[in-house]
Amino acid sequence: MMQNIFTPGATSLLPTLATTSWLSLTVQVSLVLFVVSLGFTFIRLILGPSLPDRVVALDLASTLLVGLIAVSAIETGDVIFLRVAMVAALFSFIGTIGFCWYLQRETDQ
């Protein structure tokens, strides 16, 4: 049985909520906007003139992926996607701290 996001332990009431036209439309528009934003972010990641620009683009890409996973969790009503999003956000944060530490160390020398 699928767990509901809003009431833990209850049976899934979210699929009936997901069949409403407004939620379905909002989820589809959000997914399209996330994918378009990821496309622009990857263009900045490839064409970025400097390393800090690429680091910011990589951080933005990971943040957009977390948002994409969260919207997918709302669409499906499955709680496991939110746990995956939290782990991805944690790794993104640790990676950003590592890049900042590397850039700080590079400028000190």
Side-chain angles (χ1 to χ4, degrees):
M1 234 182 206
M2 195 171 17
Q3 289 183 349
N4 190 348
I5 294 173
F6 302 112
T7 55
T11 59
S12 179
L13 299 175
L14 195 60
T16 57
L17 182 64
T19 58
T20 62
S21 62
W22 283 107
L23 184 65
S24 177
L25 178 68
T26 305
V27 165
Q28 295 303 316
V29 168
S30 298
L31 290 175
V32 168
L33 289 176
F34 274 124
V35 170
V36 169
S37 299
L38 273 170
F40 286 134
T41 302
F42 283 124
I43 290 172
R44 173 51 62 194
L45 183 65
I46 293 170
L47 299 177
S50 65
L51 183 62
D53 291 331
R54 290 187 172 105
V55 169
V56 169
L58 190 63
D59 188 42
L60 178 62
S62 63
T63 303
L64 289 172
L65 284 174
V66 168
L68 192 66
I69 293 169
V71 170
S72 297
I74 291 171
E75 182 181 27
T76 61
D78 202 2
V79 177
I80 194 71
F81 286 130
L82 293 177
R83 293 178 182 156
V84 169
M86 285 190 295
V87 170
L90 178 66
F91 281 128
S92 169
F93 175 73
I94 291 172
T96 302
I97 295 298
F99 278 128
C100 291
W101 179 75
Y102 172 74
L103 291 176
Q104 177 75 25
R105 198 171 144 217
E106 186 179 83
T107 58
D108 286 344
Q109 293 177 358

